Amino acid sequence: MQIVVLAGGVGGSRFVQGVRRAHPGATISVIGNTADDITMHGLRICPDLDTMMYTLGGGGDDERGWGRLGETWNVLGELAAYGVEPSWFSLGDLDIGTHLVRTQMLEAGYPLTEVTQALTARWLAADPGIRLLPMSDDRVETHVVIADPGSPAGRRAVHFQEYWVRLRAAPDALEVVRVGIDAARPTSAVLAALAGADLVLVAPSNPVVSIGPILAVPGLRDALRATPAPVVGFAGILGGAPVLGMAHRLLPAIGVEVDAAAVGLHYGARDAGGVLDLWVMDERDAGSADAVRRGGLAVTTTDLVMADADATAAFVRHALDRLPTGS
Ligand code: FO1
Ligand code: CA
């Protein structure tokens, strides 16, 4: 069985662990968001791909949610001693090893897909049935527009990482801009995975900065709409609040309510121009299931708390038992 998962970082990794638990024999191709990527101190950093790679490979710091387990921060201390900026983004010594390999390979001309394959050969050796595919080999970066009374335009754009990490998503997001998206293309590996899928799952990741950029890569949405497989989406908003992260700070910038039903209708039903055949919401949101149905999208509710891989596997199974016939 060929399963394709569209995913961001932390939530995406937990979700994939549950999918693996539910389908031990399947090939799982994860289409990962690369619009969080940033260059810092000359190093190319892919936070969502790395979170996925470390977590699935058993080397991630689950408590922190990013970076390596047992990390040390000597290089960071040296940079600070030199007074080098930016100092708001923490690169660990172990993590830097990954970025050195990636940056060298990219500079030597390897596409990000091949670089990621080289990095994951180490981390996913115990489960070669999981493949990690960047959404695109082209550079795309999410920037967030915030108010800036001191600037002539009264607003300025900051890289998503600066908005998230330095500003802690405190300023209202006025607009979300995906730099480079128009020129980006899905990779042949992504298109082949979607065309050959038996099942496509949209992880409960951030709809604005994780799933949003993946769907915005020109051609990717069409490939998703054309896949012969059923497409099932999972809400990351549970009872009106994001299960992880700060989606509630970004949804208003794209005009979507912080509400599971609203996010489902934003993705839309595949037979009405959207991408989903089934939307899965938490049982706390059962009251808005009718609104989703009235919007033409099949919906089911269950416990969507990813307490552990078993709990996640259980809600994935629940969803698959409720696929609309014919999808
Ligand atoms: N998140 C932070 O809150 N602070 C950091 O200093 C930080 C550094 C960092 C370095 C490498 C990496 O792969 C991720 C890192 N993250 C950090 C996490 C990351 O910024 C975000 O959580 C994701 O991009 C949002 O999904
Ligand atoms: Ca992310």
Side-chain angles (χ1 to χ4, degrees):
M1 180 168 181
Q2 302 285 332
I3 302 179
V4 173
V5 180
L6 275 58
V10 188
S13 322
R14 289 199 199 160
F15 182 73
V16 171
Q17 288 174 319
V19 174
R20 168 48 90 219
R21 184 68 53 93
H23 295 277
T27 297
I28 304 176
S29 301
V30 181
I31 301 178
N33 169 46
T34 56
D36 285 9
D37 296 8
I38 191 163
T39 300
M40 289 273 181
H41 311 292
L43 300 175
R44 191 66 182 159
I45 300 153
C46 301
D48 281 0
L49 296 182
D50 287 350
T51 297
M52 187 73 69
M53 175 173 89
Y54 294 152
T55 304
L56 297 176
D61 187 320
D62 291 340
E63 213 158 293
R64 203 188 312 116
W66 52 272
R68 292 282 301 279
L69 195 63
E71 187 58 280
T72 54
W73 309 92
N74 292 300
V75 173
L76 195 70
E78 288 300 294
L79 291 172
Y82 284 114
V84 171
E85 293 292 334
S87 56
W88 49 264
F89 198 72
S90 302
L91 292 181
D93 301 331
L94 301 175
D95 195 27
I96 285 172
T98 300
H99 310 319
L100 285 170
V101 175
R102 174 184 296 121
T103 306
Q104 286 190 73
M105 286 189 73
L106 288 172
E107 282 174 4
Y110 291 95
L112 185 61
T113 298
E114 278 184 51
V115 176
T116 306
Q117 202 181 348
L119 293 169
T120 52
R122 169 184 172 195
W123 291 102
L124 302 180
D127 189 351
I130 298 183
R131 294 193 308 159
L132 187 51
L133 305 175
M135 66 188 198
S136 177
D137 285 331
D138 302 310
R139 201 162 146 166
V140 177
E141 287 182 0
T142 300
H143 288 212
V144 179
V145 179
I146 58 172
D148 180 9
S151 78
R155 46 196 264 154
R156 77 188 158 105
V158 295
H159 189 288
F160 167 71
Q161 293 297 342
E162 184 172 357
Y163 180 74
W164 203 250
V165 174
R166 187 172 83 82
L167 301 171
R168 289 280 149 211
D172 287 338
L174 305 177
E175 199 184 327
V176 172
V177 181
R178 299 186 179 116
V179 179
I181 196 81
D182 293 342
R185 293 293 168 263
T187 64
S188 53
V190 161
L191 295 176
L194 287 171
D198 300 304
L199 174 66
V200 178
L201 305 173
V202 178
S205 299
N206 189 312
V208 186
V209 292
S210 296
I211 304 299
I214 299 175
L215 295 178
V217 175
L220 205 150
R221 194 184 165 88
D222 290 340
L224 188 55
R225 287 180 45 72
T227 182
V231 183
V232 183
F234 294 82
I237 306 285
L238 280 58
V243 62
L244 280 165
M246 301 182 260
H248 59 295
R249 298 295 297 144
L250 293 161
L251 280 165
I254 62 162
V256 176
E257 231 182 295
V258 185
D259 170 76
V263 172
L265 292 171
H266 166 70
Y267 290 145
R270 192 146 63 135
D271 57 16
V275 295
L276 300 179
D277 299 312
L278 177 66
W279 179 237
V280 187
M281 306 195 297
D282 189 68
E283 51 207 6
R284 276 169 278 178
D285 298 305
S288 52
D290 275 341
V292 177
R293 279 185 207 106
R294 279 197 302 277
L297 179 58
V299 64
T300 182
T301 59
T302 185
D303 180 354
L304 280 191
V305 177
M306 295 192 283
D308 53 33
D310 285 330
T312 307
F315 74 62
V316 169
R317 287 194 201 97
H318 166 99
L320 300 190
D321 288 344
R322 280 157 189 82
L323 274 173
T325 45
S327 71

